[in-house]
Amino acid sequence: MIPDLAEADQRRACDLFSPWGALGRVLTALRALRLKTVFLGCTLLMACAPAETPPSRASASLATDLPPIRTFATRAASPPLRSNADMARDFLDLHFRLEGGTTMPVFTRFEGPVSVAVTGAAPATLRMDLEALLTRLRREAGINVRLRAPGEVPASVTIEAVSRARIQRLLPHAACFVVPNVSSIEEYRRARRLPQTDWKNLRSRERLAIFVPNDVNPQELRDCLHEELAQALGPLNDLYRLRDSVFNDDNVHAVLTGFDMLMLRATYDPSLKTGMTREEVAARLPAILSRLNPAGARRASAPLPQTPSAWTSAVETALGGSATRAQRVRAAHTAAHIAEAQGWQDHRRAFGHFLIGRTLETSAPEQAEAHFRTALNYLGTGPDTAPHRALNQSRLAAYALRAGNVARAEQLIDTAYGAAQTSQNAALMATLLTLKAHIAESRGDHRRATALRAESAGWALYGNGPGAVIALTPREVAAAGPSRRR
């Protein structure tokens, strides 16, 4: 999140991937499934196993049957699938505008090597996820970025881990944020109303600080690292029209995508430098993108229209934790109506229906199901919207299971699981594995059900945190059958 004096009260749509956000609540709203939460009186497991490595039970320090926390291997993202002409427009809008609409007069980036320091009470997973992110930034974006050597001061970027409450005392709606020209949250507290910490006054990047919560689940912390470090290094704006980027406050994508890496690689291309105007950067972009992404030069332009502020405001209200349920319902419908009036046929049209479905899951499940189906109709079949589809497919799978349509549920679960795995959404993976376990249990395959529950628990520890692991009993699966549908 990019705060400045004019934009400090902007909402961050962080609900989707919070421990009890939309993904953690895929089944909660479906009362027929009778979701049960098991609270674990334990601390976070320190042993972390990549997805490809069988987790060692000996590495778990708890006297329980839970496996170690699961984590993701470091992998490069797939390249973007849009035209370079469209991505040049995106690059300019990301760099030369702030979220509140302020126009930036010049292009900025770090000039020279970038060092990163970690301060505060950092959880064990922070360093692991940060090192994986820095590796990707070096390999995929070509940025000379590394952890600061001992005794080396000051760092270009300081990542300070503090409590969520301390972050929200400064920015009430922020999950995490990045600020220029400071190196600690205390320094920011003293200077927060001074021109030096206002992004619209930025003319060069020398020293920035990122503030992340140290009392949230590992996935939420990792998501903050990806977005805030990317914005510390490059683009300052977020655009709802981007369907394949973390620079989008719908938070569907949580780790840097191929599009994001291309934007960052272009940001640090030798042809650009701090102080250039929008016109100067625009003149160089076609050659830069053609060199970095030759496939994009052969793709036809299909630009999406700008997003009106009324739609953005409605979405932020529908996602906002401070709004009442009635306000969220009205805002979700407003977003859908605006998208229809605009004639959109893209992921933003789908997102309005997804938001309506979320708000109706408990009170009107049949209407909610219809909206999730409608959302899928606007998401196509391409990989860039696979995470969007998975959000809806996971919910539709629960409805199918409740209706006794196990074959349909399995199809939806498998499709959504592949997308969740590719987009590194452990919370959704845990939920889908739990559903698969109950299907196996209902068929009498107890060994497979046990294995799926163990795998689900490992991913839930990363995606939901150690305080909650989703569990359903066979009796509750039976309650999801057709005889209990209503």
Side-chain angles (χ1 to χ4, degrees):
M1 183 174 190
I2 300 288
D4 67 17
L5 295 182
E7 299 160 15
D9 290 330
Q10 290 184 16
R11 299 179 185 274
R12 175 184 174 84
C14 59
D15 177 73
L16 288 180
F17 295 99
S18 65
W20 296 111
L23 298 182
R25 297 196 302 266
V26 166
L27 302 180
T28 304
L30 302 177
R31 293 179 176 177
L33 289 178
R34 298 175 58 83
L35 184 64
K36 179 173 70 178
T37 303
V38 177
F39 291 93
L40 306 176
C42 62
T43 57
L44 178 62
L45 294 171
M46 296 303 175
C48 299
E52 288 76 7
T53 305
S56 170
R57 193 172 295 276
S59 63
S61 59
L62 302 177
T64 71
D65 290 331
L66 289 174
I69 185 173
R70 300 296 296 267
T71 61
F72 295 95
T74 303
R75 291 176 176 170
S78 300
L81 300 176
R82 293 191 282 121
S83 77
N84 284 349
D86 294 344
M87 290 189 285
R89 171 201 179 206
D90 296 334
F91 184 95
L92 294 171
D93 285 350
L94 285 169
H95 273 281
F96 287 93
R97 292 183 71 86
L98 297 179
E99 291 183 45
T102 301
T103 299
M104 299 298 290
V106 297
F107 171 81
T108 63
R109 70 180 186 191
F110 283 103
E111 300 293 342
V114 180
S115 60
V116 179
V118 178
T119 62
T125 59
L126 187 151
R127 177 63 68 100
M128 172 193 66
D129 284 332
L130 176 59
E131 288 180 344
L133 174 56
L134 295 179
T135 297
R136 286 193 60 201
L137 288 169
R138 288 191 294 269
R139 291 176 181 174
E140 298 174 56
I143 300 175
N144 184 2
V145 58
R146 57 180 174 81
L147 284 172
R148 182 183 63 176
E152 181 185 350
V153 290
S156 310
V157 180
T158 300
I159 300 172
E160 185 173 0
V162 298
S163 69
R164 180 194 289 270
R166 194 171 182 192
I167 288 174
Q168 295 188 339
R169 279 198 294 270
L170 294 171
L171 285 179
H173 301 295
C176 42
F177 63 98
V178 57
V179 178
N181 300 314
V182 298
S183 295
S184 71
I185 199 165
E186 182 58 29
E187 185 181 3
Y188 174 62
R189 187 189 66 79
R190 296 192 303 267
R192 60 187 298 209
R193 302 194 184 281
L194 298 179
Q196 70 192 62
T197 60
D198 193 334
W199 281 97
K200 69 174 178 285
N201 298 321
L202 187 71
R203 299 298 179 267
S204 65
R205 302 196 200 195
E206 310 293 338
R207 185 169 61 106
L208 292 95
I210 296 170
F211 307 118
V212 298
N214 59 13
D215 51 2
V216 298
N217 65 70
Q219 179 169 308
E220 187 172 350
L221 176 56
R222 178 210 62 190
D223 297 353
C224 279
L225 288 175
H226 276 248
E227 180 171 359
E228 305 308 333
L229 185 53
Q231 292 196 304
L233 294 169
L236 304 177
N237 198 3
D238 284 308
L239 298 170
Y240 276 107
R241 73 169 183 258
L242 301 179
R243 61 181 177 268
D244 53 356
S245 174
V246 302
F247 302 119
N248 184 330
D249 273 338
D250 65 12
N251 286 358
V252 173
H253 289 278
V255 298
L256 293 176
T257 66
F259 170 87
D260 300 327
M261 288 299 185
L262 178 60
M263 293 295 102
L264 288 168
R265 184 174 281 277
T267 298
Y268 284 84
D269 190 89
S271 301
L272 302 181
K273 62 180 180 180
T274 293
M276 283 185 168
T277 65
R278 183 183 179 108
E279 291 71 24
E280 290 172 327
V281 172
R284 290 163 173 77
L285 270 180
I288 293 171
L289 292 175
S290 182
R291 175 165 29 86
L292 298 180
N293 186 46
R298 298 188 295 270
R299 294 184 183 276
S301 175
L304 293 180
Q306 297 282 10
T307 306
S309 58
W311 187 89
T312 300
S313 178
V315 166
E316 290 172 350
T317 300
L319 289 170
S322 60
T324 66
R325 181 182 177 282
Q327 289 172 330
R328 291 197 300 271
V329 171
R330 286 196 298 271
H333 279 90
T334 297
H337 290 320
I338 292 173
E340 182 179 10
Q342 293 285 326
W344 292 344
Q345 301 292 312
D346 56 58
H347 60 288
R348 293 171 296 179
R349 180 77 174 268
F351 199 56
H353 288 284
F354 169 75
L355 292 174
I356 295 174
R358 283 180 70 230
T359 62
L360 296 178
E361 281 179 317
T362 302
S363 61
E366 291 183 350
Q367 292 181 40
E369 182 180 10
H371 281 285
F372 293 137
R373 292 186 186 280
T374 300
L376 280 181
N377 293 336
Y378 291 104
L379 290 173
T381 59
D384 50 355
T385 57
H388 304 73
R389 295 196 299 275
L391 289 174
N392 295 278
Q393 289 163 339
S394 59
R395 286 165 160 80
L396 291 173
Y399 285 108
L401 182 60
R402 188 183 70 174
N405 191 345
V406 176
R408 176 59 175 162
E410 282 187 304
Q411 180 188 34
L412 289 165
I413 290 168
D414 290 341
T415 303
Y417 188 84
Q421 192 173 43
T422 300
S423 60
Q424 299 190 14
N425 190 331
L428 182 54
M429 290 168 62
T431 298
L432 294 167
L433 286 168
T434 298
L435 280 177
K436 289 175 71 72
H438 298 310
I439 292 174
E441 193 79 56
S442 69
R443 290 171 171 165
D445 192 345
H446 305 298
R447 178 175 296 182
R448 175 166 171 74
T450 299
L452 287 167
R453 284 198 181 93
E455 188 177 358
S456 173
W459 288 117
L461 285 170
Y462 185 85
N464 294 322
V469 174
I470 297 173
L472 291 172
T473 66
R475 182 175 59 187
E476 289 166 333
V477 173
S483 62
R484 302 286 187 92
R485 183 171 184 180
R486 301 189 185 279

